[in-house]
Amino acid sequence: MKITIKEIAAISGVSTTTVSQILNNKGQRFSEETRKRVLKAVCEYDYNPDYFAKNMVHRESKTVGMIVPDVTDLFFSKVIEGVEAYFNKKDYMILLCNSRHSADKEKDYIKQLQNRSVAGILLASPNSLKLESDLKGSPYILIDRGLNTRAEGNLLVKEYSGVYQAIQHLIDNGHTQIGMLTNESGYYEMTERFEAYYQCMKDNGIKYDPTFLADGPVTIEGGYLAAKELLEKRIITALCCGNDQMAIGTYRAAYELGLSIPNDLSVVGFDDLEISSFLNPPLTTVNQPAFDIGYTAAQYLLQEIEQPNKVVPNKTFETTFIERGSTINIDK
Amino acid sequence: MKITIKEIAAISGVSTTTVSQILNNKGQRFSEETRKRVLKAVCEYDYNPDYFAKNMVHRESKTVGMIVPDVTDLFFSKVIEGVEAYFNKKDYMILLCNSRHSADKEKDYIKQLQNRSVAGILLASPNSLKLESDLKGSPYILIDRGLNTRAEGNLLVKEYSGVYQAIQHLIDNGHTQIGMLTNESGYYEMTERFEAYYQCMKDNGIKYDPTFLADGPVTIEGGYLAAKELLEKRIITALCCGNDQMAIGTYRAAYELGLSIPNDLSVVGFDDLEISSFLNPPLTTVNQPAFDIGYTAAQYLLQEIEQPNKVVPNKTFETTFIERGSTINIDK
DNA sequence: CTGAAAGCGCTTACAG
DNA sequence: CTGAAAGCGCTTACAG
């Protein structure tokens, strides 16, 4: 068992009150002599106040929970990195929960986290709207979820304008047969991205054809399967993928079907993962600042925790279209 | 504030002892009637014993710490997934720490975790040997670190035989000018992989040439830079990369230098990340079971926690050479 | 079958 | 300048 404040007190010949006060820089000045004596004992025996006992009285767990749909997802792992970076500076630690896209698990995790008296919860989930009532009671921030029922603390990403720009770019380069890989399981941003695709086509007078769409999980494998299905059935010159991971899957599908990117097929993604610029050819995509999103979410959550009455601002993150080698001009 | 056991007791007109006993299925049978009454109140007010108070007496934090060098690393995120999958079943939660490859940070994290009375620590680090003395006191398992000073609980991966096989495969296919991308910052497995390369070359009578080596961080970017440096200075027909991420970087370097994979350059990686089979061409690599490694590490740690006197076995994970499209036979 | 009391390791009024 | 005592919310001997 670890050494206790009582023992430190005994060793240095003072009361526990004194030890506690000195350690917390509280109360009146103690004689330099006793301070030294206490500090020496503390140091010597490597005394650290017990976390649980301390929390019994203070109720500051200095812990937040973070729930993500998939830790191995390249976008989310970058978000986690941002969250961790901020909270680490603030002496908070993160209980990481991997929900595997399951709303039930998310619900369980929220419950568990609340039972542990976490100071707050960061939730990244397509189901977050349904879960907001469960979240009540603890401060929380929703990540990767534009709209929610609150007026503040919303982190928005310009999904729409990013994709719109990408589609416009394709059209400007002579493409009209443009497909899209979507995901209809409830990710708000996927809906936004589709809307942008739809609207941009429309604005350019290109008729919308639902057979140019394929749906699948937002993973490499999901993109591969969706792309394969789509490319086998329709002839298109460009494909807008729901995210970079799906684009990576598309590369493979194209390869297997003997289509060369970008010559036979232009491809654009969304996210601008680190890996995307290393693909062959480098992926044209839309950048969103994953690390920053996590970092900011963490920052907002801490504000909610520490200053519950202060209004948490909303924040909109820019997206940037990045042209690389996977798209080509097909006008003669 | 949450509702307390005292209030539940008051509401159901019994003592806190009774409530506690009933909730924990302890003690003598209580009359069916009082059980019901208590349970009803518990349910109605959604009472949950306070985590900290409970721990004050039980000291079972049901929490483990996990320290990884980089959460965005594709190998580690897979390991995390495995760890989480196991502990979630066991009602444990994970405090995730991202050390960013810094030994100082690792040390801090260990300290912090211990102060929080975690039940155990999972450490993935090239510095783990140096840190073992800090770890003393809590149960721990080292991940991704073949040898340590302990006789038990070692997780070994057959790094050596995997790479040996890969190199032999290259040689059998006519390659003799084989380069390697290494990392000398202390990762045990990187050393193992290099050793295998070295030995296999030697066993096949190919003279070892240190200029066929390039060193760099075990990331995509690191692989890109190292490969570029190497490929610009030496003509080689095959390159063995320290891991798949470095191989991905190599694809880009080759692309920029106008080298076609596999025609101008055969490439092999290590890890068999999900993404690797989707590369263009699909990467020839050596599979190691990242998820399993995490899962098993978690399992072993839990055993150490729950049965401190029982010997934790050692376990060796197999690696499998997987031939895909990035290597070619260059014999006529 | 049930409850009063002690104790887990801290912190914090309060008193001197 | 310092300490005795109460209290945080539980659980667990112990007693009846």
Side-chain angles (χ1 to χ4, degrees):
Chain A
M1 194 47 221
K2 296 189 317 185
I3 190 164
T4 147
I5 196 173
K6 236 166 161 171
E7 305 178 66
I8 294 291
I11 290 163
S12 24
V14 295
S15 71
T16 59
T17 308
T18 303
V19 176
S20 176
Q21 307 266 57
I22 289 177
L23 249 31
N24 296 297
N25 296 310
K26 289 260 173 77
Q28 316 77 336
R29 296 165 259 80
F30 293 89
S31 75
E32 194 48 35
E33 206 252 320
T34 78
R35 280 198 69 246
K36 265 203 201 119
R37 210 148 23 103
V38 168
L39 261 18
K40 178 157 165 289
V42 166
C43 185
E44 191 168 331
Y45 292 89
D46 191 27
Y47 166 73
N48 282 289
D50 181 72
Y51 176 70
F52 300 114
K54 209 166 180 169
N55 268 289
M56 275 261 54
V57 8
H58 275 152
R59 322 237 113 240
E60 282 189 326
S61 64
K62 294 260 189 190
T63 305
V64 297
M66 174 161 192
I67 306 174
V68 296
D70 180 2
V71 273
T72 68
D73 182 288
L74 292 160
F75 171 72
F76 290 120
S77 64
K78 201 70 191 171
V79 174
I80 294 173
E81 190 186 29
V83 168
E84 214 270 353
Y86 183 78
F87 275 125
N88 181 237
K89 286 198 308 189
K90 302 293 184 178
D91 276 325
Y92 272 67
M93 295 195 107
I94 299 161
L95 287 170
L96 185 71
C97 308
N98 192 30
S99 70
R100 297 162 168 267
H101 296 90
S102 148
D104 287 346
K105 267 185 178 272
E106 286 166 342
K107 205 161 177 151
D108 281 356
Y109 279 129
I110 291 173
K111 190 84 193 150
Q112 272 190 66
L113 290 169
Q114 286 175 337
N115 285 346
R116 282 163 180 255
S117 301
V118 291
I121 295 179
L122 248 20
L123 174 63
S125 160
N127 311 301
S128 50
L129 294 186
K130 281 178 254 160
L131 294 166
E132 279 199 273
S133 64
D134 297 285
L135 249 9
K136 295 282 183 271
S138 13
Y140 66 96
I141 293 282
L142 304 178
I143 296 181
D144 206 31
R145 180 31 81 177
L147 297 169
N148 59 54
T149 60
R150 301 187 302 174
E152 313 108 28
N154 290 321
L155 304 183
L156 274 311
V157 175
K158 292 197 174 168
E159 318 277 352
Y160 188 93
S161 68
V163 172
Y164 195 98
Q165 227 181 113
I167 301 293
Q168 189 62 56
H169 177 263
L170 290 173
I171 295 173
D172 291 346
N173 282 279
H175 297 274
T176 54
Q177 310 294 91
I178 305 172
M180 174 144 197
L181 262 33
T182 58
N183 176 276
E184 288 168 8
S185 69
Y187 281 100
Y188 125 88
E189 61 272 33
M190 289 297 157
T191 311
E192 286 278 293
R193 292 175 201 170
F194 168 71
E195 289 296 335
Y197 160 83
Y198 178 82
Q199 191 60 44
C200 186
M201 296 284 274
K202 193 170 166 195
D203 290 351
N204 284 272
I206 301 173
K207 74 163 197 319
Y208 168 67
D209 181 344
T211 67
F212 277 15
L213 257 48
D215 191 79
V218 295
T219 59
I220 297 176
E221 170 101 30
Y224 165 71
L225 293 171
K228 196 138 189 194
E229 180 201 325
L230 181 57
L231 295 172
E232 273 170 349
K233 124 186 130 181
R234 303 286 329 195
I235 292 176
I236 55 178
T237 62
L239 183 57
C240 174
C241 303
N243 68 9
D244 279 7
Q245 298 195 123
M246 293 179 100
I248 293 170
T250 295
Y251 272 47
R252 179 98 202 97
Y255 177 81
E256 288 183 4
L257 295 171
L259 298 171
S260 152
I261 298 171
N263 298 323
D264 303 324
L265 180 71
S266 284
V267 174
V268 314
F270 193 105
D271 276 345
D272 192 25
L273 303 173
E274 192 205 346
I275 198 173
S276 301
S277 65
F278 289 95
L279 293 177
N280 191 355
L283 181 65
T284 295
T285 189
V286 177
N287 172 278
Q288 70 169 325
F291 181 93
D292 263 17
I293 292 173
Y295 196 88
T296 307
Q299 208 172 308
Y300 282 18
L301 183 60
L302 190 63
Q303 190 196 307
E304 257 191 64
I305 293 168
E306 292 183 344
Q307 306 168 58
N309 298 317
K310 197 170 151 195
V311 174
V312 182
N314 291 319
K315 178 151 177 176
T316 302
F317 294 93
E318 295 296 325
T319 53
T320 333
F321 175 68
I322 299 180
E323 184 180 1
R324 288 200 277 246
S326 66
T327 45
I328 207 175
N329 186 310
I330 58 168
D331 285 331
K332 311 287 105 82
Chain B
M1 194 46 220
K2 295 189 316 184
I3 191 164
T4 147
I5 195 172
K6 237 171 168 167
E7 305 178 64
I8 293 291
I11 289 162
S12 25
V14 296
S15 71
T16 60
T17 308
T18 302
V19 177
S20 175
Q21 306 266 58
I22 288 178
L23 250 31
N24 297 298
N25 296 311
K26 289 261 173 75
Q28 316 78 334
R29 297 167 258 82
F30 293 90
S31 74
E32 195 47 35
E33 205 252 321
T34 78
R35 278 197 71 243
K36 265 201 202 122
R37 207 147 26 103
V38 169
L39 259 19
K40 178 158 164 289
V42 166
C43 186
E44 190 167 332
Y45 292 88
D46 190 29
Y47 167 71
N48 282 289
D50 180 73
Y51 177 71
F52 300 115
K54 208 166 181 171
N55 267 290
M56 274 261 53
V57 7
H58 274 151
R59 323 238 112 241
E60 282 189 327
S61 64
K62 294 260 188 190
T63 306
V64 297
M66 174 161 192
I67 306 174
V68 297
D70 180 3
V71 274
T72 69
D73 182 289
L74 292 159
F75 172 73
F76 289 121
S77 63
K78 201 71 191 166
V79 174
I80 294 172
E81 189 186 29
V83 168
E84 213 271 353
Y86 182 78
F87 275 125
N88 181 236
K89 287 199 307 191
K90 302 294 184 179
D91 276 324
Y92 272 67
M93 296 195 106
I94 300 160
L95 287 170
L96 185 71
C97 309
N98 192 32
S99 70
R100 295 161 170 268
H101 296 91
S102 148
D104 286 346
K105 266 184 178 273
E106 286 165 344
K107 207 163 177 151
D108 281 355
Y109 279 129
I110 290 173
K111 190 83 192 153
Q112 272 189 66
L113 291 169
Q114 287 174 336
N115 285 347
R116 282 165 179 254
S117 301
V118 293
I121 294 178
L122 248 21
L123 175 63
S125 159
N127 310 301
S128 51
L129 294 185
K130 279 178 254 157
L131 294 165
E132 279 199 272
S133 63
D134 297 284
L135 251 7
K136 295 280 183 271
S138 15
Y140 67 96
I141 293 283
L142 304 178
I143 294 182
D144 205 34
R145 179 34 79 181
L147 298 168
N148 58 55
T149 60
R150 302 187 302 173
E152 314 109 29
N154 290 322
L155 303 184
L156 272 312
V157 175
K158 291 196 172 169
E159 319 276 352
Y160 187 93
S161 67
V163 172
Y164 195 99
Q165 229 180 110
I167 301 293
Q168 188 63 55
H169 176 263
L170 290 173
I171 295 172
D172 291 346
N173 281 278
H175 296 274
T176 54
Q177 310 294 92
I178 306 173
M180 174 144 197
L181 262 33
T182 57
N183 176 276
E184 289 170 8
S185 67
Y187 282 98
Y188 125 89
E189 62 271 32
M190 289 297 156
T191 312
E192 286 278 292
R193 292 174 201 172
F194 168 73
E195 289 295 336
Y197 161 85
Y198 177 83
Q199 191 60 42
C200 186
M201 297 283 273
K202 192 170 165 195
D203 291 350
N204 284 273
I206 301 171
K207 75 164 194 319
Y208 168 69
D209 180 345
T211 67
F212 277 15
L213 257 47
D215 189 80
V218 295
T219 59
I220 297 177
E221 170 101 31
Y224 165 72
L225 294 170
K228 196 138 188 194
E229 178 201 326
L230 181 57
L231 295 172
E232 273 170 348
K233 125 185 131 183
R234 304 287 329 196
I235 292 175
I236 56 179
T237 63
L239 183 57
C240 174
C241 303
N243 67 8
D244 280 6
Q245 297 194 123
M246 293 179 99
I248 294 171
T250 295
Y251 271 47
R252 178 99 201 96
Y255 177 82
E256 288 183 5
L257 295 170
L259 298 171
S260 151
I261 298 172
N263 298 324
D264 303 324
L265 180 71
S266 285
V267 175
V268 314
F270 193 104
D271 277 344
D272 191 25
L273 302 174
E274 192 206 345
I275 197 173
S276 301
S277 64
F278 288 94
L279 293 177
N280 191 354
L283 181 66
T284 296
T285 188
V286 177
N287 173 278
Q288 70 169 325
F291 182 93
D292 264 17
I293 291 173
Y295 196 88
T296 307
Q299 207 173 310
Y300 282 18
L301 183 60
L302 190 63
Q303 189 195 309
E304 256 191 66
I305 293 167
E306 291 184 343
Q307 307 169 57
N309 298 317
K310 196 170 152 195
V311 174
V312 182
N314 291 320
K315 177 149 179 177
T316 303
F317 294 91
E318 294 297 325
T319 53
T320 334
F321 175 69
I322 298 180
E323 184 181 359
R324 288 199 278 246
S326 67
T327 46
I328 207 175
N329 186 310
I330 59 167
D331 284 334
K332 307 289 105 84

